[in-house]
Amino acid sequence: MPTDTSPAAGSLPARAPLAAMPGRPVLDVVIPVFNEEKDLGPCVRQLHEHLTRTFPYPFRITIADNASTDRTPQVAAALAADFEGVRSTRLEEQGRGRALRTVWSRSEAPVLAYMDVDLSTDLNALLPLVAPLISGHSDLAIGTRLTRSSRVVRGAKREFVSRAYNLILRSSLAARFSDAQCGFKAIRREVAERLLPLVEDSGWFFDTELLVLAERAGLRIHEVPVDWVDDPDSTVHIIRTATEDLKGIWRLGRALAAGALPLDRLARPFGDHPHDRTLPGVPRGLARQLLGFCVVGVFSTLSYLALYTFFRLGTGAQAANAAALLLSAIANTAANRRLTFGVRGRERALRHQAQGLLVFAIGLALTAGSLAALSAATDHPAHGTELAVLVTANLAATVLRFLLFRAWVFPERRTTHPKDTR
């Protein structure tokens, strides 16, 4: 996967609460429209009144006209002239994603949002939606109609389509957010600057793709339960939209599987992930590596004991111990390589296994010596006693194995990055 170390693609600054600046809105709410001459006026008036009454910061409402062929452009221009903080822009091509990308890319507001013109979502959810972005707690925020605390009024067909679509997202792209299609979302501008160039879709799949990429990059997505009433006059074509969404899922899934998207430039972009925090006197990543090593060790120990019991049915204690320890050591090295120390790919894999076998030899010496000492103490030790001795010896070998893995087999590679010359 390519890594771009240029300043433009580098790490973003740490999240911080936003402060209002003279002449600049804190929030820019985009309303993408196509042939909405009837609903546009009531929507903008109601939204403007609500923001004026409840929003404590400067705001802007941007009408993004998607090549309308009715009187929508004239209505938008009149609203921009009548209301302070309202502006309109026209695109000569259709596409909700294209409209959002265009307006968000040009906006100087630190928080960017959008909502559907039908105002199906209760506006009381708007402040809870953007508050975590203003405070610096989250990177994106979405309204969700699919939680128990959401109140939704809509037909059975739309309910089924929405839930089926989100189920497909969870099963195919491992998405964890609950509602991809609710037309009520917000994003911090510096996050949008990094994400938008990676989003390919310009239609209805745009915000789903944005969310999947954000989630894969480890960004924080805040969800707000909303009250939502279906618009019976909606012009959205369900079948056509669903078809385009499925195509988008297939395309995005292939790109993610092939590693074609440079998500490494987005991973933990703010530098404030708990795993990135260091403690005085504690080497970087030690706590995470210890946890991973212990988890792998538990499964390895259980596998070792099962293998030892199986081999012990047909051979002596020393031979059974050697065979069980060898097989479990190979699996243990492979698991620790991938899960504990984060080493991926085939490079140096054989060398790591060879080094792991040397570490295994030390463990074999400890356990074999323990068995020899037990045999010297009693002629016919019970099987339970053998297992207890082996577990104790393996605990001592485990501590030594972790130290050798960390310092010798999988040492931390220190990388240097070019200095930012801005």
Side-chain angles (χ1 to χ4, degrees):
M1 187 177 295
T3 302
D4 192 339
T5 57
S6 64
S11 298
L12 296 175
R15 297 189 202 100
L18 304 176
M21 296 182 64
R24 188 182 77 170
V26 171
L27 172 66
D28 193 347
V29 182
V30 182
I31 305 175
V33 291
F34 173 71
N35 289 349
E36 298 287 355
E37 61 180 4
K38 176 183 175 182
D39 294 334
L40 180 56
C43 167
V44 171
R45 293 186 183 93
Q46 186 176 344
L47 176 59
H48 190 275
E49 187 276 333
H50 178 84
L51 288 172
T52 302
R53 178 169 47 85
T54 64
F55 194 68
Y57 302 103
F59 64 86
R60 176 191 295 145
I61 300 172
T62 301
I63 305 167
D65 175 27
N66 281 160
S68 295
T69 56
D70 63 359
R71 294 187 63 258
T72 297
Q74 289 77 18
V75 175
L79 290 168
D82 292 343
F83 291 93
E84 182 181 359
V86 176
R87 70 175 183 178
S88 66
T89 183
R90 177 173 172 81
L91 289 80
E92 298 303 328
E93 296 180 84
Q94 294 184 26
R96 182 179 66 174
R98 179 177 288 105
L100 294 177
R101 185 199 313 277
T102 301
V103 177
W104 283 356
S105 298
R106 297 173 180 173
S107 179
E108 73 278 17
V111 175
L112 310 168
Y114 93 88
M115 64 178 56
D116 292 335
V117 69
D118 57 16
L119 289 184
S120 294
T121 304
D122 184 1
L123 291 178
N124 287 321
L126 182 56
L127 185 55
L129 182 81
V130 301
L133 309 187
I134 294 174
S135 69
H137 174 271
S138 301
D139 307 307
L140 299 90
I142 64 173
T144 175
R145 302 159 296 181
L146 302 180
T147 63
R148 292 184 176 180
S149 55
S150 302
R151 297 181 178 90
V152 177
V153 178
R154 62 175 166 180
K157 182 170 71 171
R158 285 184 177 272
E159 180 76 11
F160 172 78
V161 170
S162 180
R163 291 189 178 275
Y165 178 67
N166 284 279
L167 180 62
I168 292 172
L169 283 178
R170 288 174 177 269
S171 59
S172 61
L173 298 179
R176 296 189 300 274
F177 47 86
S178 64
D179 191 351
Q181 293 179 309
C182 182
F184 197 68
K185 297 181 175 70
I187 186 172
R188 286 175 66 107
R189 178 167 55 86
E190 69 269 22
V191 177
E193 289 174 350
R194 297 305 197 275
L195 280 177
L196 290 179
L198 302 181
V199 179
E200 182 176 327
D201 191 82
S202 295
W204 291 97
F205 188 68
F206 170 87
D207 42 354
T208 297
E209 187 171 357
L210 186 78
L211 289 173
V212 171
L213 294 180
E215 193 172 73
R216 289 298 184 95
L219 303 183
R220 179 172 286 173
I221 301 174
H222 178 71
E223 297 198 357
V224 178
V226 298
D227 298 341
W228 196 86
V229 179
D230 189 17
D231 178 15
D233 298 325
S234 174
T235 58
V236 177
H237 299 281
I238 296 179
I239 301 300
R240 185 175 64 189
T241 301
T243 302
E244 293 301 319
D245 286 342
L246 292 176
K247 290 180 181 179
I249 291 173
W250 172 256
R251 172 184 54 78
L252 182 58
R254 289 180 58 189
L256 291 171
L261 295 170
L263 294 180
D264 54 336
R265 74 173 63 171
L266 294 171
R268 299 179 188 170
F270 300 100
D272 64 348
H273 192 283
H275 290 167
D276 292 333
R277 296 170 188 162
T278 58
L279 299 175
V282 178
R284 180 181 179 87
L286 178 59
R288 179 185 60 78
Q289 291 179 355
L290 277 172
L291 178 61
F293 186 81
C294 289
V295 171
V296 172
V298 168
F299 286 100
S300 295
T301 300
L302 293 176
S303 300
Y304 162 77
L305 293 176
L307 289 169
Y308 175 81
T309 301
F310 174 75
F311 290 137
R312 191 68 174 86
L313 297 176
T315 187
Q318 292 288 7
N321 173 62
L325 196 58
L326 174 62
L327 293 177
S328 61
I330 294 174
N332 181 277
T333 300
N336 277 306
R337 181 179 189 269
R338 174 68 175 83
L339 302 176
T340 303
F341 298 97
V343 180
R344 296 172 173 81
R346 299 180 179 179
E347 183 182 0
R348 300 166 64 91
L350 291 178
R351 177 175 177 176
H352 291 155
Q353 279 293 349
Q355 292 173 306
L357 288 177
L358 291 178
V359 176
F360 146 77
I362 298 175
L364 178 62
L366 286 173
T367 54
S370 300
L371 284 175
L374 179 62
S375 298
T378 178
D379 292 334
H380 300 287
H383 181 65
T385 304
E386 285 184 351
L387 291 180
V389 169
L390 288 173
V391 168
T392 303
N394 266 293
L395 287 175
T398 296
V399 175
L400 182 59
R401 187 183 306 119
F402 176 75
L403 296 175
L404 289 174
F405 272 177
R406 180 176 171 83
W408 179 49
V409 183
F410 307 109
E412 181 180 356
R413 294 185 180 182
R414 301 187 180 277
T415 59
T416 57
H417 300 281
K419 294 181 178 180
D420 192 336
T421 57
R422 285 177 293 178

